[in-house]
Amino acid sequence: MTTAETGNRTVGVTDAEPAVTPTDGPSARERMRAERAASAKRARLRKRGLLAGAIVALAAAGAVYFTDRAPEDEAEGKPLIVPANTAGEQRTSIVYGKPDAPHTLTVRTALNCRSCRKAERSLGPAMRQLADQGTYKIEYRLAASPDGAVGDKQDRHALNALGAAANTDVGKFAQYLGALLIGDDSAASDEGLLHLAGRVDGLRTPAFDRTVRELTYLPWVNKVIRTHDTKTPGFPSLALDGAPLPLDADNGQLIDEQRFHRLVRERLSVS
């Protein structure tokens, strides 16, 4: 405690609070109030800045979310156009051979499938040979992937190109499917799909190229993927008139053409 004299009075003043004379008291208090107000204002501005930054960040994240669309969303706004030479309740299977053939060989095959590649290389020509002879027609059920996945964007583009091939000519479709299954990575882009189609005589036309580039059959592709449930095990698989036809020989290896022909003859009693 210190003392200060004012006239004849002695006023006690604490050490913690310096004496404030009547002349300078109000201005000091005003300065203190102004400093507190300025500090509060700076705090409010900092909060607003943080909030604005958070909103911008969330908006950016939202933009990424909406622009990074799922592969099937590419078909949004496109009309459903079904290729020619299709069959089934949803018209999601592609038929090769004579439509009035007395029997049906169902072939389930998928892109990005090593076993499907082997089956196509070993048995594809033999299967189509019997279809050409009228023994049966082939119903191809296509999948984007053999492991239950719906496939990425380029898998869907490849199925769109297969739809364009089926619409052009089912014989060319079969050749193109074989090229896709046993081919290299040239189908990793739309231009690669067109390049691969150039290996099939007569497939590439202005109309074919346009449907590949414009993804004309993409809504149909989404139906194909939904209809042919790839979670069902076993790719590839064969069924003759609905009854499974084994692809593996007793030694666990893929059957050869002769064994395939014999199995079909035994099943159908065709000599």
Side-chain angles (χ1 to χ4, degrees), residues 106-128:
T106 302
V107 178
R108 294 176 68 241
T109 190
L111 304 176
N112 307 309
C113 172
R114 183 176 300 177
S115 297
C116 301
R117 183 181 302 121
K118 291 179 180 179
E120 171 60 30
R121 183 181 292 115
S122 300
L123 297 177
M127 290 189 293
R128 289 188 283 274

Side-chain angles (χ1 to χ4, degrees), residues 34-57:
E35 288 176 1
R36 286 196 296 268
S39 178
K41 183 176 181 180
R42 286 194 296 270
R44 287 195 301 272
L45 290 174
R46 280 197 300 271
K47 289 180 180 179
R48 289 176 183 173
L50 290 173
L51 180 59
I55 291 172
V56 169

Side-chain angles (χ1 to χ4, degrees), residues 203-225:
L203 178 56
R204 286 202 63 176
T205 64
F208 175 85
D209 289 8
R210 184 171 59 253
T211 54
V212 170
R213 291 192 174 106
E214 295 180 359
L215 304 174
T216 301
Y217 296 111
L218 211 54
W220 173 79
V221 167
N222 288 342
K223 285 188 65 176
V224 168
I225 292 174

Side-chain angles (χ1 to χ4, degrees), residues 1-25:
M1 172 86 64
T2 60
T3 60
E5 292 185 357
T6 305
N8 294 325
R9 290 191 304 162
T10 300
V11 180
V13 182
T14 63
D15 292 332
E17 295 182 15
V20 179
T21 63
T23 56
D24 65 0

Side-chain angles (χ1 to χ4, degrees), residues 73-131:
D73 291 343
E74 274 195 301
E76 186 176 349
K78 292 181 177 292
L80 174 62
I81 301 175
V82 178
N85 300 304
T86 51
E89 184 178 347
Q90 300 292 322
R91 293 189 65 189
T92 52
S93 299
I94 297 174
V95 178
Y96 176 93
K98 300 177 181 179
D100 58 350
H103 304 284
T104 301
L105 178 71
T106 302
V107 178
R108 294 176 68 241
T109 190
L111 304 176
N112 307 309
C113 172
R114 183 176 300 177
S115 297
C116 301
R117 183 181 302 121
K118 291 179 180 179
E120 171 60 30
R121 183 181 292 115
S122 300
L123 297 177
M127 290 189 293
R128 289 188 283 274
Q129 180 186 29
L130 291 182

